[in-house]
Amino acid sequence: MSDRAESESRKLLGRLRDTMAEEAAGQERLDKITHLTADSMGTEVCSIYLFRDENTLELCATQGLNPDAVHETRMKLGEGLVGRVARSGKVINTADAPSEAGFRYMPETGEEVFSSFLGVPIQRLGEKLGVLVVQSREAREFTADEVYAIEVVAMVLAEMAELGAFVGEGAALTRRHTQPVLLRGTTGQEGTAEGHVWLHEPRVVVTNLVADDPARERERLQQAVETLRVSVDELLAGASGDADQVQVLEAYRMFANSKGWMRRMEEDIARGLSAEAAVEKEQSAARARMSQVTDAYLRERLQDLDDLSNRLLRILTGQGNATGSEMPADPILVARNIGPGELLEYGRKLRGIVLEEGSVGSHAAIVARALAIPLVIHAPRVTNEALNGDHIMVDGDQGIAHLRPDDTVVTAFRDKIAMQEKALERYASIRDRPAMSACGTRVTLLMNAGLMADLPSLEGSGAEGVGLFRTELQFLVRNQMPRRTELADIYARVIDAAKGKRVVFRTLDIGSDKVLPYMKPNDEPNPALGWRAIRVGLDKPGVMRMQLQALIRAANGQALSIMFPFIAQYDEFRLARVEVDKAIAREKRLGHKIPSKLEIGAMLETPSLAYASRKFFEEVEFLSIGGNDLKQFFFAADRENERVRRRYDTLNVSFLSFLEGIVQRCEETGTPLSFCGEDAGRPIEALCLAAIGLRTLSMRPASIGPVKSLLIRCRLDEVRAVIHDARDRGEQSVRPAVMDYLQNLP
């Protein structure tokens, strides 16, 4: 880059800064910017197009085109060269615009006399705001220095738009972060909540975009980067046992020491940007690349660079996570992603959670379900769009969030909440009634748990016990392996809180989507079918033995129920049972109390176990169908894959017939059987499961009321007949037939 180019760029940025500093309306500022940019670039035309909605661009200011076209010329995303720039986020630089693919002539603008065209996206941190265009009569491509200069102007425009510098009349000049936004994501945890936004990582606001002293800005940048490098090294030194964290921090260190990253930021400073603006310019470029990369590894590395840029900006601006804002009384947490430990720190004070990332089986989703907090995942752009204190409504049932909702949405949403509250009153009135169907069949309803915080729901929900206590949460939320004494204390408190009701403890179920932060991750092509759960326990028995000892000590002479996860064949259960016998013998030798009654069961989560020998069904003391995993393996449909996970219905006749086969095998051997999973807590599915013979269902506490309410209204013999009739007619799913039956109930 030549000294002359640097000098001209600094002059242009200086004039931009002076224009921004003047007292003026938004439209007047835009007009001045197009004039001075065209003048500085030596082009006949400079135009600014901004989005009026997510699919439509509007000409908002121009120097050189017909001024009457301002706020009249509009184009769809992808339409014309301007629309192509907006859609792709990439520069178009051509000497002969009319010959370019996708060119569209706008007669009202008078642009037909201009041959050359340079369009650059106006975007901030990956969010597209519009397009900046310069044109000239001379047929030529713009130089690299000219392209760079226009990109810098576009970056400044994006930052000033964020700060509200261009507010005016019309949709395209509306103040940002004020309009209602509907965010369509995915259900992570059912439920509805209304509250106000609390950003887990508040955005860094850069106000000093232009600087007069490049040497001083380079020095500030170098000092900040050195501080960043030291902090990353310190974090690495303290993360030796956390393999995932080490991998991320190693990527941080690689980027922090990248000469290319540093050189690009120093070049931005030489052009006239402040150190903060230079960092954010590179961050925006990384975000733009991230949106176009499909390779998972490259996306993760670009995400690391984005995180590192945020850290560097916080050092330069002095803006830490503590902004001085006070958490609202009704906080809805908004974040790109969050770990289970951080989520537990917030606890039940949160009304709801909205994440840009996450997954149905993520640690955050597991904790949200344990805390019964409505959760929406995969909500696009929510961290860019939301501000602390914004009104937000979360519909976890539908997987959507309404940010800054209008009055119509607020009224409809509050009506839905009111109806749910009335239903809760109705459910409370039947809390102490047994789940007895209209035909006199008794169904036992249990709750799932994983935290001490779940246990108060045992009494309040009407659950008759805990059908599944997930012991892995105590491992997931720590940075190191918990001690046996710690686990024994936790398990003892769970047993005491149950007040005599049965609690089934599932041994450690790790692997797949549940990776302990202090254990070396295994890179497997398909972790759901890989080294997980009982496979880990049998191959590395030390942890399983420690956990079994903790459970036996926690029981302290009381009854104890232990369940092994992901048993795929008889031998796995037999070997796990041997470990229990060893643990009992060891505790006897040590003089510790032995459980008065010991039940050892297994989770049936693989189709193979349904076809195990009769000997297995006779030996196992109880079985619990793990519906979530069993369904995904039965249909060969990954439940973390949004394209296929909703494709197959639980009420598919093939799946119900398969479950009926398991029920019959257990009836033949007298083996107690239950069903545990999301479907157990869905009233229609629960009704059908009970109708085919599953007499024990385990679900989240909030689902017990709705399930019981439907069960006591229905005759299971009639529902069974409806299911069999639909199957005999060759229907793929019994859902339509069952819904017709329910609609005709008195």
Side-chain angles (χ1 to χ4, degrees):
M1 179 171 43
S2 67
D3 292 341
R4 182 178 179 278
E6 290 184 7
S7 176
E8 290 300 320
S9 178
R10 285 198 296 274
K11 285 180 183 177
L12 173 56
L13 286 175
R15 293 174 69 186
L16 275 175
R17 179 190 57 198
D18 295 341
T19 298
M20 297 300 182
E22 294 174 3
E23 285 290 334
Q27 184 65 56
E28 186 180 352
R29 282 195 176 120
L30 286 173
D31 293 338
K32 288 183 177 180
I33 289 169
T34 57
H35 177 78
L36 70 87
T37 302
D39 183 56
S40 296
M41 295 289 296
T43 60
E44 289 94 338
V45 175
C46 177
S47 305
I48 297 172
Y49 298 81
L50 298 176
F51 280 102
R52 59 178 286 110
D53 59 49
E54 63 182 17
N55 291 309
T56 311
L57 287 153
E58 181 177 301
L59 176 62
C60 291
T62 186
Q63 169 68 31
L65 297 184
N66 182 359
D68 292 337
V70 173
H71 298 305
E72 297 297 326
T73 295
R74 294 170 187 169
M75 61 201 69
K76 293 296 182 183
L77 189 65
E79 183 181 5
L81 298 186
V82 173
R84 278 179 55 198
V85 173
R87 182 175 61 187
S88 68
K90 296 179 179 178
V91 172
I92 292 181
N93 180 10
T94 178
D96 186 9
S99 67
E100 281 288 315
F103 174 81
R104 184 189 168 197
Y105 171 53
M106 300 287 191
E108 72 275 14
T109 65
E111 66 176 344
E112 66 273 13
V113 298
F114 304 108
S115 180
S116 62
F117 175 98
L118 172 60
V120 302
I122 301 171
Q123 54 191 0
R124 181 180 188 274
L125 301 182
E127 184 180 7
K128 297 167 184 174
L129 306 179
V131 178
L132 175 63
V133 175
V134 291
Q135 297 169 272
S136 65
R137 296 174 188 271
E138 180 187 356
R140 70 179 183 91
E141 283 195 10
F142 290 87
T143 67
D145 283 340
E146 288 173 317
V147 173
Y148 192 97
I150 289 298
E151 286 180 324
V152 171
V153 173
M155 182 261 184
V156 172
L157 283 171
E159 291 302 321
M160 297 312 296
E162 176 70 17
L163 295 171
F166 307 126
V167 175
E169 296 182 5
L173 298 185
T174 301
R175 184 179 294 277
R176 287 173 52 72
H177 310 298
T178 59
Q179 297 300 300
V181 179
L182 172 60
L183 300 159
R184 296 188 181 276
T186 303
T187 297
Q189 162 66 14
E190 293 90 348
T192 54
E194 178 180 3
H196 292 85
V197 168
W198 180 252
L199 292 171
H200 181 57
E201 292 185 339
R203 69 183 70 225
V204 177
V205 180
V206 177
T207 55
N208 59 322
L209 300 169
V210 182
D212 292 323
D213 187 349
R216 170 61 183 144
E217 294 304 305
R218 273 196 301 272
E219 182 183 355
R220 290 182 62 233
L221 177 66
Q222 289 164 358
Q223 289 175 350
V225 169
E226 184 57 33
T227 301
L228 179 67
R229 289 169 179 163
V230 170
S231 68
V232 170
D233 287 342
E234 289 174 348
L235 287 170
L236 261 171
S240 56
D242 187 338
D244 280 347
Q245 189 180 3
V246 167
Q247 184 179 18
V248 171
L249 290 174
E250 288 285 6
Y252 281 1
R253 182 156 67 180
M254 178 187 72
F255 284 123
N257 289 280
S258 168
K259 292 181 180 179
W261 186 50
M262 193 71 178
R263 186 190 66 250
R264 290 191 299 272
M265 292 188 291
E266 288 178 339
E267 287 176 355
D268 294 332
I269 288 172
R271 290 281 191 172
L273 291 181
S274 67
E276 291 89 339
V279 174
E280 191 151 288
K281 183 175 182 293
E282 286 304 306
Q283 185 180 22
S284 289
R287 284 268 182 106
R289 291 196 297 274
M290 201 186 308
S291 66
Q292 297 164 5
V293 169
T294 56
D295 181 83
Y297 177 80
L298 290 177
R299 282 185 62 84
E300 285 181 9
R301 297 295 71 79
L302 286 168
Q303 190 73 70
D304 293 337
L305 180 56
D306 189 60
D307 291 340
L308 196 71
S309 298
N310 277 331
R311 288 172 180 263
L312 186 54
L313 281 171
R314 294 190 190 285
I315 293 169
L316 282 165
T317 62
Q319 298 175 30
N321 282 336
T323 62
S325 300
E326 186 175 341
M327 183 183 287
D330 52 359
I332 304 288
L333 186 71
V334 170
R336 194 176 68 219
N337 215 336
I338 190 169
E342 293 171 306
L343 190 50
L344 281 171
E345 286 180 14
Y346 284 107
R348 292 187 185 273
K349 69 179 80 168
L350 297 178
R351 295 281 184 88
I353 307 165
V354 183
L355 301 178
E356 274 190 18
E357 299 176 3
S359 66
V360 175
S362 68
H363 303 162
I366 293 168
V367 173
R369 283 195 283 273
L371 297 174
I373 300 173
L375 167 66
V376 173
I377 58 177
H378 303 148
R381 301 181 297 106
V382 65
T383 55
N384 277 349
E385 193 64 57
L387 296 178
N388 270 338
D390 277 348
H391 186 201
I392 186 170
M393 292 176 149
V394 179
D395 188 339
D397 302 329
Q398 301 297 319
I400 61 176
H402 300 276
L403 182 64
R404 300 182 291 269
D406 59 28
D407 291 344
T408 304
V409 171
V410 170
T411 300
F413 197 89
R414 287 177 178 167
D415 286 347
K416 179 177 180 176
I417 291 176
M419 289 177 63
Q420 290 177 336
E421 289 175 348
K422 287 182 180 178
L424 287 175
E425 292 176 6
R426 185 171 72 252
Y427 302 149
S429 69
I430 62 172
R431 182 188 64 190
D432 298 326
R433 287 178 57 183
M436 185 83 71
S437 71
C439 60
T441 304
R442 179 82 156 78
V443 180
T444 301
L445 302 183
L446 308 174
M447 63 171 267
N448 299 333
L451 299 167
M452 276 301 300
D454 293 322
L455 272 298
S457 299
L458 186 54
E459 184 174 352
S461 66
E464 298 175 62
V466 178
L468 168 67
F469 189 89
R470 303 181 184 91
T471 61
E472 60 270 11
L473 288 180
Q474 284 72 43
F475 290 79
L476 289 169
V477 300
R478 285 173 163 78
N479 291 322
Q480 59 184 10
M481 185 74 71
R483 296 178 181 275
R484 180 175 53 200
T485 52
E486 292 176 316
L487 292 178
D489 179 62
I490 292 170
Y491 301 152
R493 286 188 284 137
V494 169
I495 293 170
D496 291 344
K499 298 178 180 177
K501 292 183 178 179
R502 181 171 177 255
V503 178
V504 177
F505 290 93
R506 183 179 69 188
T507 60
L508 190 59
D509 185 3
I510 58 170
S512 184
D513 55 356
K514 296 188 281 289
V515 180
L516 298 183
Y518 41 85
M519 288 184 70
K520 183 179 180 180
N522 288 281
D523 294 327
E524 296 181 294
N526 192 340
L529 295 175
W531 196 58
R532 55 173 290 201
I534 195 63
R535 298 168 182 175
V536 177
L538 293 175
D539 290 352
K540 302 286 186 181
V543 176
M544 183 165 71
R545 289 168 183 164
M546 181 264 287
Q547 189 179 26
L548 291 173
Q549 292 162 12
L551 285 166
I552 294 167
R553 293 182 188 184
N556 195 29
Q558 302 174 76
L560 177 63
S561 298
I562 298 173
M563 179 166 62
F564 292 109
F566 209 63
I567 299 291
Q569 58 185 13
Y570 178 23
D571 269 3
E572 289 174 335
F573 177 76
R574 188 173 49 79
L575 291 170
R577 181 64 193 252
V578 168
E579 291 296 336
V580 177
D581 293 340
K582 288 179 182 177
I584 290 288
R586 182 178 186 276
E587 293 304 298
K588 279 183 177 178
R589 287 197 305 272
L590 294 173
H592 296 150
K593 290 183 179 179
I594 303 304
S596 57
K597 178 183 179 184
L598 181 62
E599 295 178 301
I600 308 298
M603 289 205 82
L604 195 158
E605 300 168 274
T606 62
S608 63
L609 196 63
Y611 300 102
S613 66
R614 182 183 178 91
K615 180 70 174 172
F616 165 74
F617 285 88
E618 291 172 344
E619 184 174 325
V620 71
E621 289 168 291
F622 65 92
L623 276 174
S624 179
I625 294 173
N628 298 341
D629 266 334
L630 184 62
K631 181 180 172 183
Q632 75 167 340
F633 299 142
F634 183 85
F635 288 112
D638 183 358
R639 64 191 178 107
E640 296 294 342
N641 186 331
E642 293 302 320
R643 290 184 176 180
V644 299
R645 81 182 189 94
R646 296 184 184 276
R647 188 183 187 97
Y648 301 100
D649 190 357
T650 302
L651 302 187
N652 181 295
V653 293
S654 300
F655 191 54
L656 289 181
S657 296
F658 177 66
L659 295 178
E660 275 190 297
I662 297 171
V663 170
Q664 289 167 8
R665 293 210 67 185
C666 288
E667 287 177 347
E668 290 170 4
T669 55
T671 308
L673 177 66
S674 63
F675 186 100
C676 173
E678 294 174 9
D679 289 319
R682 295 181 175 128
I684 308 300
E685 285 83 342
L687 175 65
C688 293
L689 293 172
I692 64 172
L694 283 154
R695 297 292 183 256
T696 302
L697 305 174
S698 190
M699 63 202 72
R700 66 189 183 101
S703 297
I704 289 175
V707 168
K708 184 186 291 186
S709 178
L710 183 60
L711 284 173
I712 62 180
R713 293 173 54 213
C714 299
R715 292 186 60 92
L716 296 186
D717 53 350
E718 292 179 352
V719 178
R720 187 183 309 112
V722 169
I723 291 171
H724 290 168
D725 286 347
R727 182 171 59 196
D728 292 342
R729 290 194 302 271
E731 294 183 14
Q732 180 169 284
S733 171
V734 306
R735 189 178 298 276
V738 172
M739 293 302 295
D740 286 343
Y741 165 81
L742 293 175
Q743 288 171 0
N744 293 318
L745 280 179

